[in-house]
Amino acid sequence: QVQLAESGGGSVQSGGSLRLSCVASGSVWKTFCMGWFRQSPGKEREGVAVIHKDGQTRYHDSVKGRFAISKDNAENSLYLEMKSVKPEDTGIYYCTARSGADGYCGVEYPSDMDYWGEGTRVTISA
């Protein structure tokens, strides 16, 4: 089992910045992919950014060039640096992990992720 705990959510104005953090515990070594997914009001959950254990990253088209995902293996931590935020970035952001030795690590399918944190709320005002 893997436990994930997010922090760093809050309210900022459009154009501002925010940094989300996630601390993982448990059998983290059994995962090969970690990422951030979000649920915005009136929308289904969607992938925002993911990072493979080898460091490869993938982003949702809507956040490319504005968000950056990173991880600190020594601290079992995952981060999401959010810049130039927009009202449509509003939502609950979830830290996630996918178990296994290796495989595809992408933002397309939330159902691929095996572990989810409780989420942290991000509100962007116009």
Side-chain angles (χ1 to χ4, degrees), residues 39-67:
Q39 179 132 37
S40 300
K43 297 177 66 176
E44 294 187 357
R45 278 187 191 183
E46 63 180 3
V48 176
V50 295
I51 184 165
H52 190 276
K53 64 179 181 179
D54 64 6
Q56 184 180 37
T57 59
R58 287 189 169 91
Y59 295 91
H60 190 278
D61 285 347
S62 67
V63 306
K64 285 180 180 177
R66 300 189 298 120
F67 291 10

PDB file of all heavy atoms in Angstrom, residues 39-67:
ATOM      1  N   GLN A  39      -9.921  17.469 -10.430  1.00  0.00           N
ATOM      2  CA  GLN A  39     -11.345  17.452 -10.737  1.00  0.00           C
ATOM      3  C   GLN A  39     -11.846  18.872 -10.622  1.00  0.00           C
ATOM      4  O   GLN A  39     -11.853  19.456  -9.507  1.00  0.00           O
ATOM      5  CB  GLN A  39     -12.117  16.560  -9.781  1.00  0.00           C
ATOM      6  CG  GLN A  39     -13.611  16.536 -10.062  1.00  0.00           C
ATOM      7  CD  GLN A  39     -14.179  15.144 -10.105  1.00  0.00           C
ATOM      8  OE1 GLN A  39     -13.759  14.277  -9.344  1.00  0.00           O
ATOM      9  NE2 GLN A  39     -15.127  14.922 -10.987  1.00  0.00           N
ATOM     10  N   SER A  40     -12.221  19.425 -11.757  1.00  0.00           N
ATOM     11  CA  SER A  40     -12.740  20.789 -11.788  1.00  0.00           C
ATOM     12  C   SER A  40     -14.253  20.749 -11.733  1.00  0.00           C
ATOM     13  O   SER A  40     -14.868  19.755 -12.119  1.00  0.00           O
ATOM     14  CB  SER A  40     -12.267  21.492 -13.068  1.00  0.00           C
ATOM     15  OG  SER A  40     -10.854  21.523 -13.109  1.00  0.00           O
ATOM     16  N   PRO A  41     -14.875  21.834 -11.270  1.00  0.00           N
ATOM     17  CA  PRO A  41     -16.340  21.863 -11.156  1.00  0.00           C
ATOM     18  C   PRO A  41     -17.025  21.534 -12.480  1.00  0.00           C
ATOM     19  O   PRO A  41     -16.722  22.125 -13.512  1.00  0.00           O
ATOM     20  CB  PRO A  41     -16.621  23.313 -10.732  1.00  0.00           C
ATOM     21  CG  PRO A  41     -15.379  23.736 -10.041  1.00  0.00           C
ATOM     22  CD  PRO A  41     -14.258  23.066 -10.763  1.00  0.00           C
ATOM     23  N   GLY A  42     -17.916  20.573 -12.452  1.00  0.00           N
ATOM     24  CA  GLY A  42     -18.677  20.211 -13.640  1.00  0.00           C
ATOM     25  C   GLY A  42     -17.925  19.373 -14.652  1.00  0.00           C
ATOM     26  O   GLY A  42     -18.440  19.110 -15.746  1.00  0.00           O
ATOM     27  N   LYS A  43     -16.720  18.951 -14.311  1.00  0.00           N
ATOM     28  CA  LYS A  43     -15.916  18.175 -15.251  1.00  0.00           C
ATOM     29  C   LYS A  43     -15.480  16.863 -14.619  1.00  0.00           C
ATOM     30  O   LYS A  43     -15.447  16.720 -13.399  1.00  0.00           O
ATOM     31  CB  LYS A  43     -14.685  18.969 -15.686  1.00  0.00           C
ATOM     32  CG  LYS A  43     -15.002  20.242 -16.447  1.00  0.00           C
ATOM     33  CD  LYS A  43     -13.734  21.007 -16.788  1.00  0.00           C
ATOM     34  CE  LYS A  43     -12.846  20.273 -17.749  1.00  0.00           C
ATOM     35  NZ  LYS A  43     -11.672  21.080 -18.141  1.00  0.00           N
ATOM     36  N   GLU A  44     -15.127  15.912 -15.460  1.00  0.00           N
ATOM     37  CA  GLU A  44     -14.604  14.651 -14.958  1.00  0.00           C
ATOM     38  C   GLU A  44     -13.144  14.821 -14.551  1.00  0.00           C
ATOM     39  O   GLU A  44     -12.479  15.768 -14.957  1.00  0.00           O
ATOM     40  CB  GLU A  44     -14.729  13.576 -16.038  1.00  0.00           C
ATOM     41  CG  GLU A  44     -16.167  13.229 -16.389  1.00  0.00           C
ATOM     42  CD  GLU A  44     -16.265  12.062 -17.333  1.00  0.00           C
ATOM     43  OE1 GLU A  44     -15.219  11.546 -17.757  1.00  0.00           O
ATOM     44  OE2 GLU A  44     -17.396  11.669 -17.663  1.00  0.00           O
ATOM     45  N   ARG A  45     -12.673  13.878 -13.771  1.00  0.00           N
ATOM     46  CA  ARG A  45     -11.267  13.924 -13.382  1.00  0.00           C
ATOM     47  C   ARG A  45     -10.380  13.828 -14.612  1.00  0.00           C
ATOM     48  O   ARG A  45     -10.683  13.072 -15.544  1.00  0.00           O
ATOM     49  CB  ARG A  45     -10.944  12.761 -12.445  1.00  0.00           C
ATOM     50  CG  ARG A  45     -11.318  13.035 -11.030  1.00  0.00           C
ATOM     51  CD  ARG A  45     -10.844  11.960 -10.096  1.00  0.00           C
ATOM     52  NE  ARG A  45     -11.439  12.142  -8.789  1.00  0.00           N
ATOM     53  CZ  ARG A  45     -11.179  11.399  -7.733  1.00  0.00           C
ATOM     54  NH1 ARG A  45     -10.310  10.393  -7.844  1.00  0.00           N
ATOM     55  NH2 ARG A  45     -11.761  11.623  -6.597  1.00  0.00           N
ATOM     56  N   GLU A  46      -9.298  14.596 -14.582  1.00  0.00           N
ATOM     57  CA  GLU A  46      -8.382  14.580 -15.705  1.00  0.00           C
ATOM     58  C   GLU A  46      -6.944  14.637 -15.215  1.00  0.00           C
ATOM     59  O   GLU A  46      -6.661  15.169 -14.141  1.00  0.00           O
ATOM     60  CB  GLU A  46      -8.649  15.766 -16.642  1.00  0.00           C
ATOM     61  CG  GLU A  46      -8.423  17.121 -16.022  1.00  0.00           C
ATOM     62  CD  GLU A  46      -8.700  18.265 -16.983  1.00  0.00           C
ATOM     63  OE1 GLU A  46      -9.132  18.007 -18.121  1.00  0.00           O
ATOM     64  OE2 GLU A  46      -8.449  19.422 -16.586  1.00  0.00           O
ATOM     65  N   GLY A  47      -6.064  14.082 -16.026  1.00  0.00           N
ATOM     66  CA  GLY A  47      -4.649  14.117 -15.688  1.00  0.00           C
ATOM     67  C   GLY A  47      -4.065  15.480 -15.976  1.00  0.00           C
ATOM     68  O   GLY A  47      -4.392  16.107 -16.992  1.00  0.00           O
ATOM     69  N   VAL A  48      -3.218  15.946 -15.088  1.00  0.00           N
ATOM     70  CA  VAL A  48      -2.561  17.236 -15.242  1.00  0.00           C
ATOM     71  C   VAL A  48      -1.098  17.030 -15.652  1.00  0.00           C
ATOM     72  O   VAL A  48      -0.632  17.584 -16.641  1.00  0.00           O
ATOM     73  CB  VAL A  48      -2.631  18.046 -13.940  1.00  0.00           C
ATOM     74  CG1 VAL A  48      -1.861  19.350 -14.071  1.00  0.00           C
ATOM     75  CG2 VAL A  48      -4.077  18.308 -13.556  1.00  0.00           C
ATOM     76  N   ALA A  49      -0.380  16.246 -14.873  1.00  0.00           N
ATOM     77  CA  ALA A  49       1.036  15.991 -15.150  1.00  0.00           C
ATOM     78  C   ALA A  49       1.447  14.699 -14.467  1.00  0.00           C
ATOM     79  O   ALA A  49       0.968  14.396 -13.373  1.00  0.00           O
ATOM     80  CB  ALA A  49       1.893  17.146 -14.646  1.00  0.00           C
ATOM     81  N   VAL A  50       2.331  13.956 -15.119  1.00  0.00           N
ATOM     82  CA  VAL A  50       2.846  12.718 -14.548  1.00  0.00           C
ATOM     83  C   VAL A  50       4.350  12.657 -14.749  1.00  0.00           C
ATOM     84  O   VAL A  50       4.897  13.315 -15.640  1.00  0.00           O
ATOM     85  CB  VAL A  50       2.190  11.463 -15.182  1.00  0.00           C
ATOM     86  CG1 VAL A  50       0.707  11.397 -14.864  1.00  0.00           C
ATOM     87  CG2 VAL A  50       2.418  11.440 -16.679  1.00  0.00           C
ATOM     88  N   ILE A  51       4.992  11.835 -13.919  1.00  0.00           N
ATOM     89  CA  ILE A  51       6.428  11.646 -14.044  1.00  0.00           C
ATOM     90  C   ILE A  51       6.759  10.173 -13.825  1.00  0.00           C
ATOM     91  O   ILE A  51       6.336   9.566 -12.840  1.00  0.00           O
ATOM     92  CB  ILE A  51       7.194  12.563 -13.065  1.00  0.00           C
ATOM     93  CG1 ILE A  51       8.696  12.451 -13.262  1.00  0.00           C
ATOM     94  CG2 ILE A  51       6.800  12.305 -11.613  1.00  0.00           C
ATOM     95  CD1 ILE A  51       9.481  13.587 -12.580  1.00  0.00           C
ATOM     96  N   HIS A  52       7.495   9.619 -14.775  1.00  0.00           N
ATOM     97  CA  HIS A  52       7.914   8.228 -14.699  1.00  0.00           C
ATOM     98  C   HIS A  52       9.125   8.124 -13.766  1.00  0.00           C
ATOM     99  O   HIS A  52       9.830   9.118 -13.552  1.00  0.00           O
ATOM    100  CB  HIS A  52       8.276   7.744 -16.103  1.00  0.00           C
ATOM    101  CG  HIS A  52       8.492   6.282 -16.230  1.00  0.00           C
ATOM    102  ND1 HIS A  52       9.692   5.709 -15.943  1.00  0.00           N
ATOM    103  CD2 HIS A  52       7.663   5.277 -16.606  1.00  0.00           C
ATOM    104  CE1 HIS A  52       9.617   4.396 -16.147  1.00  0.00           C
ATOM    105  NE2 HIS A  52       8.373   4.119 -16.549  1.00  0.00           N
ATOM    106  N   LYS A  53       9.374   6.935 -13.265  1.00  0.00           N
ATOM    107  CA  LYS A  53      10.513   6.761 -12.361  1.00  0.00           C
ATOM    108  C   LYS A  53      11.838   7.104 -13.031  1.00  0.00           C
ATOM    109  O   LYS A  53      12.810   7.423 -12.351  1.00  0.00           O
ATOM    110  CB  LYS A  53      10.554   5.321 -11.832  1.00  0.00           C
ATOM    111  CG  LYS A  53      10.784   4.256 -12.887  1.00  0.00           C
ATOM    112  CD  LYS A  53      10.826   2.877 -12.241  1.00  0.00           C
ATOM    113  CE  LYS A  53      11.095   1.787 -13.292  1.00  0.00           C
ATOM    114  NZ  LYS A  53      11.161   0.436 -12.673  1.00  0.00           N
ATOM    115  N   ASP A  54      11.869   7.079 -14.373  1.00  0.00           N
ATOM    116  CA  ASP A  54      13.100   7.433 -15.074  1.00  0.00           C
ATOM    117  C   ASP A  54      13.197   8.941 -15.330  1.00  0.00           C
ATOM    118  O   ASP A  54      14.171   9.401 -15.936  1.00  0.00           O
ATOM    119  CB  ASP A  54      13.221   6.674 -16.393  1.00  0.00           C
ATOM    120  CG  ASP A  54      12.124   7.034 -17.389  1.00  0.00           C
ATOM    121  OD1 ASP A  54      11.338   7.955 -17.116  1.00  0.00           O
ATOM    122  OD2 ASP A  54      12.038   6.384 -18.454  1.00  0.00           O
ATOM    123  N   GLY A  55      12.184   9.688 -14.889  1.00  0.00           N
ATOM    124  CA  GLY A  55      12.207  11.128 -15.007  1.00  0.00           C
ATOM    125  C   GLY A  55      11.403  11.705 -16.161  1.00  0.00           C
ATOM    126  O   GLY A  55      11.199  12.923 -16.226  1.00  0.00           O
ATOM    127  N   GLN A  56      10.927  10.847 -17.061  1.00  0.00           N
ATOM    128  CA  GLN A  56      10.136  11.363 -18.183  1.00  0.00           C
ATOM    129  C   GLN A  56       8.821  11.949 -17.677  1.00  0.00           C
ATOM    130  O   GLN A  56       8.161  11.363 -16.826  1.00  0.00           O
ATOM    131  CB  GLN A  56       9.854  10.252 -19.184  1.00  0.00           C
ATOM    132  CG  GLN A  56       9.128  10.719 -20.437  1.00  0.00           C
ATOM    133  CD  GLN A  56       8.852   9.591 -21.419  1.00  0.00           C
ATOM    134  OE1 GLN A  56       8.557   8.470 -21.041  1.00  0.00           O
ATOM    135  NE2 GLN A  56       8.968   9.893 -22.698  1.00  0.00           N
ATOM    136  N   THR A  57       8.473  13.103 -18.218  1.00  0.00           N
ATOM    137  CA  THR A  57       7.244  13.786 -17.813  1.00  0.00           C
ATOM    138  C   THR A  57       6.271  13.909 -18.981  1.00  0.00           C
ATOM    139  O   THR A  57       6.665  13.958 -20.139  1.00  0.00           O
ATOM    140  CB  THR A  57       7.551  15.183 -17.261  1.00  0.00           C
ATOM    141  OG1 THR A  57       8.219  15.952 -18.276  1.00  0.00           O
ATOM    142  CG2 THR A  57       8.444  15.111 -16.034  1.00  0.00           C
ATOM    143  N   ARG A  58       4.989  13.989 -18.637  1.00  0.00           N
ATOM    144  CA  ARG A  58       3.925  14.247 -19.613  1.00  0.00           C
ATOM    145  C   ARG A  58       2.940  15.204 -18.987  1.00  0.00           C
ATOM    146  O   ARG A  58       2.693  15.160 -17.779  1.00  0.00           O
ATOM    147  CB  ARG A  58       3.230  12.947 -20.037  1.00  0.00           C
ATOM    148  CG  ARG A  58       4.062  12.064 -20.941  1.00  0.00           C
ATOM    149  CD  ARG A  58       3.233  10.905 -21.504  1.00  0.00           C
ATOM    150  NE  ARG A  58       3.933  10.189 -22.570  1.00  0.00           N
ATOM    151  CZ  ARG A  58       4.707   9.145 -22.352  1.00  0.00           C
ATOM    152  NH1 ARG A  58       4.898   8.691 -21.127  1.00  0.00           N
ATOM    153  NH2 ARG A  58       5.311   8.544 -23.362  1.00  0.00           N
ATOM    154  N   TYR A  59       2.361  16.052 -19.823  1.00  0.00           N
ATOM    155  CA  TYR A  59       1.444  17.075 -19.349  1.00  0.00           C
ATOM    156  C   TYR A  59       0.166  17.098 -20.187  1.00  0.00           C
ATOM    157  O   TYR A  59       0.169  16.804 -21.382  1.00  0.00           O
ATOM    158  CB  TYR A  59       2.101  18.457 -19.427  1.00  0.00           C
ATOM    159  CG  TYR A  59       3.296  18.631 -18.525  1.00  0.00           C
ATOM    160  CD1 TYR A  59       4.575  18.338 -18.980  1.00  0.00           C
ATOM    161  CD2 TYR A  59       3.137  19.097 -17.222  1.00  0.00           C
ATOM    162  CE1 TYR A  59       5.674  18.492 -18.153  1.00  0.00           C
ATOM    163  CE2 TYR A  59       4.246  19.265 -16.391  1.00  0.00           C
ATOM    164  CZ  TYR A  59       5.498  18.947 -16.869  1.00  0.00           C
ATOM    165  OH  TYR A  59       6.592  19.110 -16.044  1.00  0.00           O
ATOM    166  N   HIS A  60      -0.896  17.534 -19.543  1.00  0.00           N
ATOM    167  CA  HIS A  60      -2.119  17.833 -20.276  1.00  0.00           C
ATOM    168  C   HIS A  60      -1.823  19.062 -21.133  1.00  0.00           C
ATOM    169  O   HIS A  60      -1.097  19.971 -20.721  1.00  0.00           O
ATOM    170  CB  HIS A  60      -3.255  18.121 -19.292  1.00  0.00           C
ATOM    171  CG  HIS A  60      -4.596  18.205 -19.923  1.00  0.00           C
ATOM    172  ND1 HIS A  60      -5.051  19.344 -20.544  1.00  0.00           N
ATOM    173  CD2 HIS A  60      -5.587  17.286 -20.020  1.00  0.00           C
ATOM    174  CE1 HIS A  60      -6.275  19.124 -21.007  1.00  0.00           C
ATOM    175  NE2 HIS A  60      -6.621  17.880 -20.694  1.00  0.00           N
ATOM    176  N   ASP A  61      -2.396  19.071 -22.331  1.00  0.00           N
ATOM    177  CA  ASP A  61      -2.111  20.181 -23.251  1.00  0.00           C
ATOM    178  C   ASP A  61      -2.419  21.538 -22.634  1.00  0.00           C
ATOM    179  O   ASP A  61      -1.734  22.531 -22.906  1.00  0.00           O
ATOM    180  CB  ASP A  61      -2.934  20.003 -24.540  1.00  0.00           C
ATOM    181  CG  ASP A  61      -2.377  18.917 -25.445  1.00  0.00           C
ATOM    182  OD1 ASP A  61      -1.223  18.481 -25.206  1.00  0.00           O
ATOM    183  OD2 ASP A  61      -3.089  18.503 -26.368  1.00  0.00           O
ATOM    184  N   SER A  62      -3.428  21.604 -21.800  1.00  0.00           N
ATOM    185  CA  SER A  62      -3.862  22.892 -21.253  1.00  0.00           C
ATOM    186  C   SER A  62      -2.879  23.494 -20.259  1.00  0.00           C
ATOM    187  O   SER A  62      -2.975  24.681 -19.942  1.00  0.00           O
ATOM    188  CB  SER A  62      -5.233  22.736 -20.588  1.00  0.00           C
ATOM    189  OG  SER A  62      -5.124  21.915 -19.435  1.00  0.00           O
ATOM    190  N   VAL A  63      -1.927  22.697 -19.764  1.00  0.00           N
ATOM    191  CA  VAL A  63      -0.995  23.225 -18.758  1.00  0.00           C
ATOM    192  C   VAL A  63       0.444  23.250 -19.251  1.00  0.00           C
ATOM    193  O   VAL A  63       1.335  23.719 -18.528  1.00  0.00           O
ATOM    194  CB  VAL A  63      -1.066  22.413 -17.447  1.00  0.00           C
ATOM    195  CG1 VAL A  63      -2.500  22.344 -16.939  1.00  0.00           C
ATOM    196  CG2 VAL A  63      -0.471  21.028 -17.592  1.00  0.00           C
ATOM    197  N   LYS A  64       0.688  22.786 -20.458  1.00  0.00           N
ATOM    198  CA  LYS A  64       2.053  22.767 -20.999  1.00  0.00           C
ATOM    199  C   LYS A  64       2.612  24.193 -21.031  1.00  0.00           C
ATOM    200  O   LYS A  64       1.964  25.125 -21.478  1.00  0.00           O
ATOM    201  CB  LYS A  64       2.071  22.173 -22.401  1.00  0.00           C
ATOM    202  CG  LYS A  64       1.907  20.664 -22.423  1.00  0.00           C
ATOM    203  CD  LYS A  64       1.944  20.124 -23.843  1.00  0.00           C
ATOM    204  CE  LYS A  64       1.776  18.609 -23.847  1.00  0.00           C
ATOM    205  NZ  LYS A  64       1.726  18.059 -25.225  1.00  0.00           N
ATOM    206  N   GLY A  65       3.837  24.316 -20.553  1.00  0.00           N
ATOM    207  CA  GLY A  65       4.481  25.619 -20.514  1.00  0.00           C
ATOM    208  C   GLY A  65       4.149  26.442 -19.284  1.00  0.00           C
ATOM    209  O   GLY A  65       4.768  27.486 -19.050  1.00  0.00           O
ATOM    210  N   ARG A  66       3.171  25.998 -18.516  1.00  0.00           N
ATOM    211  CA  ARG A  66       2.780  26.741 -17.310  1.00  0.00           C
ATOM    212  C   ARG A  66       3.038  25.946 -16.030  1.00  0.00           C
ATOM    213  O   ARG A  66       3.373  26.520 -14.994  1.00  0.00           O
ATOM    214  CB  ARG A  66       1.293  27.100 -17.376  1.00  0.00           C
ATOM    215  CG  ARG A  66       0.906  27.966 -18.553  1.00  0.00           C
ATOM    216  CD  ARG A  66      -0.542  28.462 -18.428  1.00  0.00           C
ATOM    217  NE  ARG A  66      -1.519  27.376 -18.423  1.00  0.00           N
ATOM    218  CZ  ARG A  66      -2.366  27.143 -17.422  1.00  0.00           C
ATOM    219  NH1 ARG A  66      -2.349  27.907 -16.357  1.00  0.00           N
ATOM    220  NH2 ARG A  66      -3.234  26.143 -17.505  1.00  0.00           N
ATOM    221  N   PHE A  67       2.858  24.643 -16.090  1.00  0.00           N
ATOM    222  CA  PHE A  67       3.039  23.783 -14.913  1.00  0.00           C
ATOM    223  C   PHE A  67       4.293  22.938 -15.083  1.00  0.00           C
ATOM    224  O   PHE A  67       4.675  22.579 -16.205  1.00  0.00           O
ATOM    225  CB  PHE A  67       1.845  22.856 -14.746  1.00  0.00           C
ATOM    226  CG  PHE A  67       0.559  23.515 -14.345  1.00  0.00           C
ATOM    227  CD1 PHE A  67       0.412  24.898 -14.341  1.00  0.00           C
ATOM    228  CD2 PHE A  67      -0.539  22.746 -13.959  1.00  0.00           C
ATOM    229  CE1 PHE A  67      -0.779  25.502 -13.968  1.00  0.00           C
ATOM    230  CE2 PHE A  67      -1.737  23.326 -13.582  1.00  0.00           C
ATOM    231  CZ  PHE A  67      -1.854  24.711 -13.600  1.00  0.00           C
TER     232      PHE A  67
END
